[in-house]
Amino acid sequence: MFIGFGTVGQGCARHLLNNRTFLKNQRGLAYKVTGIVDIVKGSIQNTEQGVDLSKALELVGAGKKLEESSLPGKRGLSSTEMIKSCGGDVIVEGTWTNLTDGEPGLTHITTALENGLDVVTSNKGPIALCYSNLMNLAKSKGRYLKFESTVMSGTPVFNLYEHGLIGAKVKELKGILNGTTNYILTEMTAGKGYSETLKRAQEAGYAEFDPSGDVDGYDCAAKITILANTLMNADLNFSDVAREGITKVTPDDIQMAENVSNRVKLLASARRNSEGRVIASVKPTQIPQTDILAHVNGVMNALQISTDVQPDVTIMGPGAGGDSAGYGLLNDILSINRLRQGATEYQPPLMIQES
Ligand SMILES: NC(=O)c1ccc[n+]([C@@H]2O[C@H](COP(=O)([O-])OP(=O)(O)OC[C@H]3O[C@@H](n4cnc5c(N)ncnc54)[C@H](OP(=O)(O)O)[C@@H]3O)[C@@H](O)[C@H]2O)c1
């Protein structure tokens, strides 16, 4: 079932629908959507026949409420009522990111795990704030919790780590993890001003009406927290990340960097210090133009993973958008399906305890 049926939830639904035959025949995934619940778009549950996904997408696309439609099913259930009675085995959680207390996603995820359901989510809040508690809960209940699209959207960073780098110890992470700020800095490097570029980003839909989550570095801080805890087994809280956004970057700063063959990027990084602690930060940083990260432009994202055996592996790709983040959720559903069929999962030792 889907909780939160906005840009990302609908993106995932479109992939499920458009690739139904491929998913079934080539990837062994047959599915039925038992419910959809969304504060704005309404809710509908049909555990017997499943909800007609094509109709549901058409309705919300036309701005109509699911419960006011002719779709057969039960109406008016809250998110938690729906989770408890959904009759399915995985929830797709795509509600808004709240970096203060993780709600409402945190309640959705814990309720689902406690009720024996697996969870895939694109919601950074609960994972950045409560990673170890949630993973411990999932483990204790024998369920899976996957969150590929929380960082770099559908660009598969966690899959890359779990499958390609599992034999390596991650020493350092460096990334350009926020498309809005990278777009603004790219335009400023081309000579445009901060305010006019921010306005254009808002008009193009890259930046929110209230852009502080992006330009003040909160979004990047959440992402580097998730990465450090997942890839480096760091005992890191979101509030431990030293954070500086791009609002104080001036055209002069950018020109001075260019004059010495550097480029200003909002860099999120994490590295283990000599005492073994992981230190993370988000700040505007001059990067040499010989570094691949200096050439990641516009809304693109990239992450450089440095390990003991493989110096720098860089992954680059889209960091936002319904299709991309929806693909991340689909990937997680497929991973869980494979695990249920007997594949084994890497289980990091969980040492972290949030208060
Ligand atoms: N868009 C992207 O490119 C992208 C990429 C990666 C990750 N993400 C993350 O994915 C999540 C979803 O993003 P989005 O772009 O799809 O956002 P969105 O379009 O705003 O969709 C979220 C939907 O969930 C609804 N919702 C909020 N609280 C709910 C609740 N308690 N029960 C049921 N529905 C609820 C929202 O209603 P309201 O409008 O009333 O809040 C909204 O319709 C966010 O956490 C975001 O940070 C987004």
Side-chain angles (χ1 to χ4, degrees):
M1 67 163 283
F2 285 87
I3 307 188
F5 204 53
T7 310
V8 177
Q10 288 173 54
C12 178
R14 274 195 304 276
H15 293 316
L16 282 168
L17 195 63
N18 297 341
N19 296 312
R20 190 183 273 271
T21 310
F22 164 77
L23 292 171
K24 185 161 179 239
N25 295 344
Q26 308 280 322
R27 297 292 179 261
L29 179 79
Y31 67 88
K32 175 169 80 176
V33 174
T34 59
I36 301 174
V37 55
D38 186 290
I39 279 188
V40 179
K41 285 121 199 147
S43 75
I44 188 91
Q45 185 187 61
N46 192 331
T47 54
E48 294 294 310
Q49 290 133 356
V51 175
D52 182 335
L53 211 45
S54 170
K55 240 332 181 339
L57 282 167
E58 197 183 305
L59 285 162
V60 298
K64 297 195 178 129
K65 287 213 176 221
L66 294 171
E67 53 217 10
E68 288 162 12
S69 70
S70 58
L71 281 173
K74 207 170 183 176
R75 284 147 168 79
L77 296 176
S78 70
S79 304
T80 45
E81 287 167 339
M82 185 85 106
I83 294 167
K84 288 178 182 167
S85 64
C86 78
D89 42 23
V90 57
I91 69 157
V92 181
E93 211 285 337
T95 61
W96 69 290
T97 286
N98 167 354
L99 292 172
T100 305
D101 62 11
E103 296 295 356
L106 185 56
T107 296
H108 296 155
I109 296 172
T110 50
T111 307
L113 294 172
E114 274 161 2
N115 282 273
L117 304 171
D118 297 322
V119 178
V120 303
T121 185
S122 59
N123 185 341
K124 291 171 281 277
I127 310 300
L129 299 175
C130 305
Y131 169 72
S132 60
N133 286 350
L134 289 173
M135 293 307 278
N136 281 334
L137 176 62
K139 203 171 175 181
S140 73
K141 298 288 175 188
R143 302 322 315 172
Y144 300 110
L145 168 60
K146 298 272 177 194
F147 43 85
E148 181 63 80
S149 51
T150 55
V151 180
M152 287 177 70
S153 213
T155 304
V157 280
F158 299 109
N159 272 280
L160 167 71
Y161 171 70
E162 277 173 30
H163 296 285
L165 289 171
I166 202 65
K169 287 188 219 115
V170 176
K171 295 197 306 190
E172 188 171 5
L173 300 168
K174 284 195 275 179
I176 293 170
L177 303 177
N178 180 273
T180 304
T181 47
N182 200 44
Y183 170 78
I184 292 173
L185 291 176
T186 303
E187 291 294 292
M188 286 176 77
T189 303
K192 312 270 171 37
Y194 175 84
S195 304
E196 60 165 304
T197 307
L198 174 59
K199 191 159 171 270
R200 203 146 4 94
Q202 285 167 322
E203 282 161 7
Y206 300 145
E208 303 278 338
F209 177 68
D210 172 6
S212 58
D214 293 324
V215 298
D216 290 334
Y218 292 101
D219 178 74
C220 275
K223 289 168 175 168
I224 197 70
T225 304
I226 297 172
L227 285 169
N229 285 340
T230 311
L231 275 60
M232 300 176 84
N233 197 30
D235 185 1
L236 205 67
N237 290 314
F238 170 61
S239 54
D240 293 336
V241 179
R243 179 186 47 78
E244 184 188 330
I246 63 163
T247 52
K248 294 194 184 115
V249 176
T250 64
D252 279 354
D253 295 332
I254 290 188
Q255 198 48 56
M256 273 159 57
E258 293 289 317
N259 290 347
V260 291
S261 301
N262 288 343
R263 190 144 291 162
V264 177
K265 293 286 179 191
L266 184 64
L267 198 71
S269 62
R271 65 176 176 78
R272 209 171 280 283
N273 68 11
S274 53
E275 287 138 35
R277 273 204 67 201
V278 173
I279 309 294
S281 67
V282 173
K283 59 178 180 212
T285 305
Q286 287 197 27
I287 299 177
Q289 288 180 20
T290 47
D291 188 323
I292 194 169
L293 291 182
H295 302 281
V296 177
N297 290 323
V299 293
M300 271 306 194
N301 281 194
L303 178 70
Q304 211 164 62
I305 306 173
S306 202
T307 76
D308 58 338
V309 288
Q310 187 74 7
D312 281 334
V313 174
T314 304
I315 181 166
M316 182 167 124
D323 282 344
S324 176
Y327 172 70
L329 290 171
L330 173 65
N331 235 336
D332 285 342
I333 295 170
L334 288 168
S335 296
I336 290 175
N337 197 45
R338 281 181 59 242
L339 290 165
R340 285 201 197 124
Q341 288 165 1
T344 48
E345 182 181 49
Y346 162 67
Q347 295 279 356
L350 289 167
M351 323 176 295
I352 320 154
Q353 282 300 324
E354 284 101 5
S355 52

